[in-house]
Amino acid sequence: MTDMQTRQSASVARCSSAQERKWLSGIPWETLLRRFAILVPCIGLFAACRTTGPAGAPSRAQLRPTVFPGVVPEPVSITLASGDAFVLTDSTSIVVDPGNAEVLRTAQLLASLLRPSTGFAVPISSIGTSVRGAIVLRLSTDTALGPEGYRLAVWRDSVRVTANAPAGLFHGVQTLRQLLPPQIESHMALSAVAWRVSPVTIMDRPRYSWRGAMLDVARHFFTVREVKQYVDLLALYKMNVLHLHLADDQGWRIEIKSRPKLTAAGSVTQVGGGPGGYYTQDEYAEIVRYAQERYVTIVPEIDMPGHTNAALIGYPEISCSVRPPAPYTGTEVGFSTFCANKEETYALVDDVVREIAALTPGRYFHMGGDENPILSKEDYARFVERTQDIVARHGKQMVGWEEIARARLRPTTIAQAWATDSVAAAAVQYGAKVILSPAKRTYLDMKYNQTTELGLTWAAVIEVRDAYDWDPATYMKGVTESNIVGVEAPIWSETVRNITAVQYLAMPRLPALAEVAWAPQSARNWDAFSRRLATHAPRWNFLGVNYYRSPQIPW
Ligand code: ACM
């Protein structure tokens, strides 16, 4: 049995057993999740009172042997200093070079984090004014930091974040955020908190340039607001790619003006038969802009030539038959395909790639390419190679799931390993790079254990330690460190209907994978990570982020 067939038959089984479950029919589970979402900030407030209140026993966090600061991902180097802490007060300001619009925007984002919880004005002022008591964000030539690294120095009198490029300053600010008490995430002013940051110096830069997550907005649709909430989580953990799976059998989710039937006919369904939906081009641009401001690159995926039932409803002439297929709301895979031998197919692909490329400032276009047992080997390769040319003509670098390595690849193409530990190695023979998304480690839609209510099990059950404890450089045959651009954690949405459910599956495996992708292998250690991660739960409570309380983590 091939991997594809295994997945296909597993997904058939998944579907029938899943449909018996209450959450797929909706109400009780969703209601519960919504209630939980409302409750968590309140729990956060309760935690705040416990840790800051004048009376009562110390909390577990206070008693735990110190592993602070609990920064995730672990920085390259971190040196705790002695002396008094820096304290945010009503005279704290953020000092920047106002001539750089990106730095100014990062300062504004920092100010908008600090103002609600502290109640302080936190003005932004220009370099040249006094830095006493200030948080200074400054670019300075320091090539050791690369395009995303930063230095952070906290002293009693000031905090300084320096970087070679604006992205580094943004990441440095996320570290500062994690060094502040978790109550900093509160949307309400908490006047009893001492906003202290202990003295420390940090030098940090990422291991990989691709630290991604994928959200399947095709099987279930997610609103612009929900996608932004996911971007917020990625940014907190210094992840820098959000791959949006925008089209699959169950739904087409992005407006293509030259091909209106893609959304008119293809966007109105989703798994289980819900209303579906799609992003207008303006809405997609809004997601791209929001992500860009947080140094997250949106990578749009149109999965083809397979996984194309939704597209074929409106454009049956590019299938190998002429009858339009019926809308599909199940969870099987491997039954639909574009026809590789028709010029009409490439005309549609060209329209789609052209419009999406024009809306996407990031360098990449993901063509899917997975799970197509219908086309012959030759037809599949022809489709991938012609699509690769179209993507290049529209100025983008092509990414595809590992199966694309069965075609002749350009060295600029990137293959995303998922199912096997060998297919992506063929891509390396062409000089192509590889993203590691091994399903057994990184698929966030896999259950944590057999009793997890959401998620699937066809690849594995993945506890937090399974997601954390592996080294990309030694994971795959024929793929070594220099072939790897990074690591990505997909969430497929067969069982996932809203962002609260996404958060439950992502947290805390997403920060675990963020550390796999960011921290040097030599700095990674499960025990230390699990203790650092535990300190993040109060932060998630204030943020209203749902999460799984893994028994592996000393919360
Ligand atoms: C995949 O999981 N079919 C890439």
Side-chain angles (χ1 to χ4, degrees), residues 132-375:
R132 240 184 113 75
I135 300 168
V136 184
L137 308 183
R138 186 162 208 179
L139 292 176
S140 72
T141 307
D142 186 347
T143 49
L145 299 176
E148 293 192 279
Y150 65 92
R151 291 181 199 275
L152 172 63
V154 178
W155 298 297
R156 183 169 67 104
D157 280 351
S158 65
V159 173
R160 287 171 194 254
V161 188
T162 54
N164 204 31
L169 287 182
F170 183 84
H171 296 319
V173 163
Q174 302 316 307
T175 299
L176 173 60
R177 179 178 172 187
Q178 293 187 12
L179 294 172
L180 280 157
Q183 294 93 329
I184 202 70
E185 312 290 350
S186 168
H187 299 302
M188 287 164 52
L190 297 173
S191 56
V193 181
W195 304 107
R196 293 160 48 88
V197 186
S198 297
V200 67
T201 56
I202 291 176
M203 192 289 283
D204 203 8
R205 55 177 294 166
R207 176 176 180 181
Y208 295 120
S209 61
W210 188 297
R211 304 179 304 280
M214 189 213 78
L215 183 60
D216 172 9
V217 297
R219 290 189 174 83
H220 279 105
F221 183 63
F222 292 83
T223 62
V224 171
R225 185 161 176 267
E226 288 177 307
V227 175
K228 288 180 177 175
Q229 284 177 268
Y230 206 41
V231 169
D232 288 342
L233 263 188
L234 300 190
L236 175 58
Y237 292 103
K238 305 189 180 78
M239 299 184 83
N240 66 348
V241 170
L242 178 60
H243 163 183
L244 289 177
H245 184 77
L246 289 165
D248 211 301
D249 292 316
Q250 298 84 351
W252 184 280
R253 306 296 181 211
I254 181 160
E255 176 187 26
I256 303 295
K257 290 187 194 289
S258 59
R259 299 285 182 160
K261 286 187 283 185
L262 287 170
T263 44
S267 75
V268 293
T269 47
Q270 60 184 17
V271 165
Y278 69 94
Y279 307 118
T280 63
Q281 293 202 350
D282 284 347
E283 286 170 334
Y284 176 79
E286 187 184 330
I287 291 171
V288 166
R289 199 169 41 247
Y290 186 89
Q292 206 173 19
E293 288 174 2
R294 288 152 183 81
Y295 297 90
V296 172
T297 299
I298 296 293
V299 175
E301 178 189 352
I302 298 297
D303 202 351
M304 48 191 174
H307 290 270
T308 42
N309 194 78
L312 293 171
I313 300 170
Y315 296 92
E317 62 274 20
I318 66 169
S319 74
C320 298
S321 87
V322 286
R323 290 225 334 257
Y328 185 68
T329 58
T331 59
E332 289 179 49
V333 298
F335 60 89
S336 59
T337 189
F338 286 172
C339 207
N341 295 318
K342 290 184 171 175
E343 284 311 306
E344 296 97 306
T345 298
Y346 299 103
L348 182 135
V349 171
D350 192 83
D351 286 341
V352 169
V353 175
R354 186 186 66 250
E355 291 197 30
I356 294 178
L359 292 167
T360 308
R363 280 154 56 191
Y364 309 101
F365 181 93
H366 199 305
M367 65 146 294
D370 58 325
E371 295 181 308
N372 188 321
I374 303 175
L375 292 182

Side-chain angles (χ1 to χ4, degrees), residues 221-551:
F221 183 63
F222 292 83
T223 62
V224 171
R225 185 161 176 267
E226 288 177 307
V227 175
K228 288 180 177 175
Q229 284 177 268
Y230 206 41
V231 169
D232 288 342
L233 263 188
L234 300 190
L236 175 58
Y237 292 103
K238 305 189 180 78
M239 299 184 83
N240 66 348
V241 170
L242 178 60
H243 163 183
L244 289 177
H245 184 77
L246 289 165
D248 211 301
D249 292 316
Q250 298 84 351
W252 184 280
R253 306 296 181 211
I254 181 160
E255 176 187 26
I256 303 295
K257 290 187 194 289
S258 59
R259 299 285 182 160
K261 286 187 283 185
L262 287 170
T263 44
S267 75
V268 293
T269 47
Q270 60 184 17
V271 165
Y278 69 94
Y279 307 118
T280 63
Q281 293 202 350
D282 284 347
E283 286 170 334
Y284 176 79
E286 187 184 330
I287 291 171
V288 166
R289 199 169 41 247
Y290 186 89
Q292 206 173 19
E293 288 174 2
R294 288 152 183 81
Y295 297 90
V296 172
T297 299
I298 296 293
V299 175
E301 178 189 352
I302 298 297
D303 202 351
M304 48 191 174
H307 290 270
T308 42
N309 194 78
L312 293 171
I313 300 170
Y315 296 92
E317 62 274 20
I318 66 169
S319 74
C320 298
S321 87
V322 286
R323 290 225 334 257
Y328 185 68
T329 58
T331 59
E332 289 179 49
V333 298
F335 60 89
S336 59
T337 189
F338 286 172
C339 207
N341 295 318
K342 290 184 171 175
E343 284 311 306
E344 296 97 306
T345 298
Y346 299 103
L348 182 135
V349 171
D350 192 83
D351 286 341
V352 169
V353 175
R354 186 186 66 250
E355 291 197 30
I356 294 178
L359 292 167
T360 308
R363 280 154 56 191
Y364 309 101
F365 181 93
H366 199 305
M367 65 146 294
D370 58 325
E371 295 181 308
N372 188 321
I374 303 175
L375 292 182
S376 69
K377 203 164 164 282
E378 295 71 27
D379 282 351
Y380 175 81
R382 179 176 311 122
F383 181 86
V384 171
E385 287 162 27
R386 284 198 63 175
T387 300
Q388 189 174 231
D389 292 344
I390 291 169
V391 170
R393 203 161 55 244
H394 293 297
K396 298 296 176 194
Q397 222 173 316
M398 194 177 83
V399 187
W401 296 106
E402 66 183 34
E403 289 93 326
I404 64 165
R406 300 191 180 124
R408 204 185 341 255
L409 301 182
R410 295 173 184 238
T412 50
T413 290
I414 299 176
Q416 185 164 10
W418 68 278
T420 71
D421 63 1
S422 55
V423 174
V428 168
Q429 309 299 316
Y430 294 108
K433 300 277 189 216
V434 177
I435 299 161
L436 263 61
S437 296
K440 289 177 168 40
R441 300 286 183 168
T442 69
Y443 270 29
L444 299 181
D445 55 308
M446 293 298 114
K447 291 177 186 286
Y448 291 99
N449 59 52
Q450 293 293 351
T451 67
T452 310
E453 193 161 10
L454 291 169
L456 303 170
T457 55
W458 61 263
V461 292
I462 304 178
E463 249 294 355
V464 185
R465 186 167 186 167
D466 303 313
Y468 182 82
D469 233 351
W470 60 289
D471 178 4
T474 56
Y475 194 76
M476 296 210 162
K477 291 191 205 100
V479 177
T480 57
E481 186 76 353
S482 64
N483 310 127
I484 298 170
V485 283
V487 173
E488 186 178 298
I491 287 198
W492 301 98
S493 62
E494 284 98 330
T495 70
V496 179
R497 298 160 53 125
N498 54 42
I499 193 66
T500 313
V502 167
Q503 289 167 352
Y504 184 78
L505 289 172
M507 304 300 282
R509 292 180 292 195
L510 188 80
L513 288 157
E515 184 153 313
V516 173
W518 177 285
Q521 186 65 22
S522 58
R524 295 213 289 119
N525 171 284
W526 163 255
D527 289 333
F529 169 74
S530 64
R531 281 177 281 143
R532 275 183 287 116
L533 185 70
T535 68
H536 287 233
R539 194 169 298 276
W540 302 335
N541 290 338
F542 280 105
L543 285 168
V545 168
N546 194 10
Y547 66 97
Y548 162 62
R549 281 185 78 84
S550 166

